[in-house]
Amino acid sequence: MSRTRFTRRLPAAAAAAGLALAVAACGGGSSSSSDGATPAAADQLKPNADLSQQTLDITVWDGYTPKELPEKAKAELKIKDVQIQTHDTNETAMTKLTAPGDSGIDVAFVSGQYAQALNEQGLLEPIHHELIPNLANLYPEATQLSYDKGNKYSVPYTWGTTGICYRSDLVKSEPTSWNDLLKPPAWADKKVTMLATERWLALPALKSLGYSINTDKDEEIEKAKELLLAQKPHLLRYDDTTFGDRLVSGEAVMAEAWDGWCPTTDPKGNIKFAVPKEGSDLWVDTMVIMKSSKNKEAAHALINYILSPEIHSWAAENINYKVPNKAAMEQVKIAKGSLLGITPAELLNGEAAIDLGPASTKYSRLQQDIKAS
Amino acid sequence: MKSEVETQPVSRSRGRWLGAFVFLSPGLAYLVVLMLVPLALVFSYTVFQRGRFGGVVYEFTTENFERLFDPLYLNVLGDSLKIAALTTLIALLIGYPTAYLIAQLPKRWKTLALVAVVLPFWTNFIIRVYAWTILLSGPGLVNSALAKIGLGPYELLYNQGTIVAGLLYSYLPLMVLPLYAAIEKLDPQLREASANLGASGFTTFRKVTLPLTVPGVLTGSLFVFVPSFGNFVIPEMLGGSKSIMVGNLIRDQFLSARDWPFGATLSLVLIALLVVLLILQAWAARRA
């Protein structure tokens, strides 16, 4: 979901997209794939290293961490300097991190499948658990995520799932299945929206057919395409950014939506969220340390600091994303209707998206086939 | 002394060249650094392969060009051409009479009318397009007004017609202004001469006014066609992303498909097409 997160605050998604395009076009850089390369041996880290000699450069989505984090971390961890850069999408972060030469980044925030891809390229420093005692704050489930069991190279920061966001006062029956969205009943005809981003566009169809969201089998993707093509005439539109507004105005009655974006806390309380019985995905945004970092002790100290309940609960309280941190979630006051109450066990029913490598082009093709038809 | 006289013309011309170079160099540097180099970079990508993370792998391939002939992309290209051509045609049909009328107005009103034509440009493009969705949506202003007189609701948003309407709204001023400039320049005596020789108003228009304003027609059409063809905001916001134009296709290659080489190839096609149009326009304008 991180792909379009930044557009949440910007109804004019296209303007941002244009800007990102300009940035992407100038980015340059190559990434010769050294897939599956085994990471070199980990550095020896000194638990008592003098952090006042180390600096940190972090890249993170805009508005995704507390604004005062650099000053606080500097003061409390006694790090010489902490600088934050922002990226708008996973793709721009990847461009920055995989460019030839030293990216200069110590700690990066990217989604789970991208952490996996970075690790496969041998670009990530293994996580030294002894330097991050606050890992104990994580839910046990968050240490067994399929893309990185045992948090070998990534530490989860936020997590969530995809489901159906709907107007409980406008639907004749509450949606329980992806088919309610894929084959909308007459009363919902042309009042349904779908996410347009490649993997999420395919998700409802793949799940309703009983396939994995990570499938790379042509015949399964083809079947999903048929289902989505049949759905298209009954859609209001494809919508990654304004589905919340459409639900509030009543223009749409059901929308495929990310949990953190479904406006369940709107004043009238009519908007609800359901995870369909066929299952859904589990997305995780993670923190990783670059192998090229020269400040690895400080990087570990920072991640440890972020995992403290006071800092980590900020994300749940301010951006409405669940954090995989038991101690932090316990101190968050959960408002009625808020999706923060979804438990880790429920989230873990979701299938984590993994990096598909070359097969990911099949999903771009699927998206273009559907939109161009 | 003698030699100085002899060398003077040479050094003067050299000095002129130097002066020209000094004055041109900021502009030249701007063009080279911000336009030619990036363009060359983008075009060089067209023969390389997609990197796994949106970068470029520098291995030669012709695959990007082969993909262009895939019916899927030809369809998108055809659709874009159709939508842009339709927009241009309607803009011309509305724009010509508008420009003609403005040119006939007394001077004071003329200025006011011209300001009114460009006034929408003072507001951000995205905001203006977004406003259309508020007007046209299911429970929007137009439908609620219609409901008061017992009509509707109609599905006004998210179809190709709305895309054309949105493009037309956005780019009509670009048609009116060059047409106005062309019509304004016409010598009124030519029309009087035509009338004196017995031509009807329509014949005068057909045989005198229209042929003399063809350069304006061509410029205006180009000004509307080019941005309409490459637009990706309007198909997304007013078309509900249910159909895509070539602009969306290119944007998707860079932002979601992570396929820079193919995105670059599509951009190359777009630019080549526009260059051809520009040459045709210049040629036609000179003949007219």
Side-chain angles (χ1 to χ4, degrees), chain A residues 99-126:
Chain A
D102 185 358
S103 62
I105 298 291
D106 301 291
V107 178
F109 285 66
V110 290
S111 297
Q113 66 268 37
Y114 292 87
Q116 178 199 355
L118 284 171
N119 185 53
E120 280 168 17
Q121 291 213 327
L123 293 172
L124 295 187
E125 173 73 13

Side-chain angles (χ1 to χ4, degrees), chain B residues 12 57 64 84 132 138 171 176 194:
Chain B
R12 193 183 291 157
V57 178
N64 297 313
W132 275 89
Y171 299 126
V176 174
S194 168

Side-chain angles (χ1 to χ4, degrees), chain A residues 10-61:
Chain A
L10 205 68
L19 187 68
L21 179 65
V23 171
C26 304
S30 79
S31 53
S32 55
S33 48
S34 54
D35 299 357
T38 45
D43 279 355
Q44 287 299 317
L45 297 189
K46 298 180 270 316
N48 302 319
D50 181 8
L51 300 187
S52 67
Q53 297 304 310
Q54 301 196 356
T55 59
L56 279 184
D57 282 285
I58 303 162
T59 183
V60 64
W61 288 280

Side-chain angles (χ1 to χ4, degrees), chain A residues 51-97:
Chain A
L51 300 187
S52 67
Q53 297 304 310
Q54 301 196 356
T55 59
L56 279 184
D57 282 285
I58 303 162
T59 183
V60 64
W61 288 280
D62 191 18
Y64 211 43
T65 50
K67 214 181 239 147
E68 64 281 6
L69 182 72
E71 283 72 45
K72 281 178 103 173
K74 235 160 84 176
E76 296 185 25
L77 303 175
K78 305 206 164 41
I79 299 175
K80 191 173 167 197
D81 194 22
V82 180
Q83 293 291 335
I84 288 199
Q85 303 176 21
T86 57
H87 54 254
D88 45 15
T89 63
N90 272 310
E91 280 78 14
T92 43
M94 292 302 274
T95 308
K96 211 187 279 187
L97 300 173

Side-chain angles (χ1 to χ4, degrees), chain A residues 172-212:
Chain A
K172 293 228 167 101
S173 59
E174 314 249 310
T176 55
S177 155
W178 285 119
N179 286 322
D180 295 326
L181 201 67
L182 291 166
K183 298 167 188 156
W187 50 262
D189 196 48
K190 296 216 171 174
K191 290 181 175 171
V192 169
T193 73
M194 286 275 287
L195 297 175
T197 322
E198 297 166 9
R199 300 282 295 271
W200 282 286
L201 172 65
L203 183 147
L206 290 173
K207 278 295 174 189
S208 88
L209 291 164
Y211 303 145
S212 159

Side-chain angles (χ1 to χ4, degrees), chain A residues 35 232 235 355 365 368, chain B residues 52-53 70 236 242 253:
Chain A
D35 299 357
K232 191 176 170 184
L235 275 186
D355 178 62
R365 177 75 201 211
Q368 283 160 20
Chain B
R52 194 172 156 193
F53 307 110
D70 186 311
E236 187 136 318
K242 280 158 99 179
Q253 296 311 312

Side-chain angles (χ1 to χ4, degrees), chain A residues 3 11-12 14-15 17-18 20-21 24 27-31 33 35 91 94-95 98 114 117 120-121 190 198 232-233 235-238 242 245-246 249 251 355 357-358 360-361 364-365 367-373, chain B residues 41-42 45 50-58 67 70 72-73 75-76 79 126 130 133 137-139 155 157-158 232-233 236-244 249-260 262:
Chain A
R3 187 185 303 260
L21 179 65
S30 79
S31 53
S33 48
D35 299 357
E91 280 78 14
M94 292 302 274
T95 308
T98 59
Y114 292 87
E120 280 168 17
Q121 291 213 327
K190 296 216 171 174
E198 297 166 9
K232 191 176 170 184
L235 275 186
L236 177 68
R237 60 167 297 170
Y238 295 102
T242 61
D245 301 339
R246 317 241 165 251
S249 74
E251 204 179 344
D355 178 62
S360 62
T361 50
S364 339
R365 177 75 201 211
Q367 184 211 35
Q368 283 160 20
D369 274 346
I370 288 167
K371 283 196 171 183
S373 72
Chain B
L41 211 63
V42 167
Y45 286 175
R50 167 189 196 266
R52 194 172 156 193
F53 307 110
V56 177
V57 178
Y58 295 99
R67 254 177 98 184
D70 186 311
L72 175 67
Y73 303 115
N75 248 341
V76 174
D79 260 2
I126 305 271
Y130 196 73
T133 66
S137 72
E155 278 165 21
L157 214 49
Y158 311 137
F232 63 89
V233 176
E236 187 136 318
M237 291 170 81
L238 300 182
S241 339
K242 280 158 99 179
S243 54
I244 55 175
L249 199 58
I250 294 175
R251 195 238 2 227
D252 285 349
Q253 296 311 312
F254 284 100
L255 289 185
S256 62
R258 292 183 259 158
D259 196 341
W260 292 13
F262 188 55

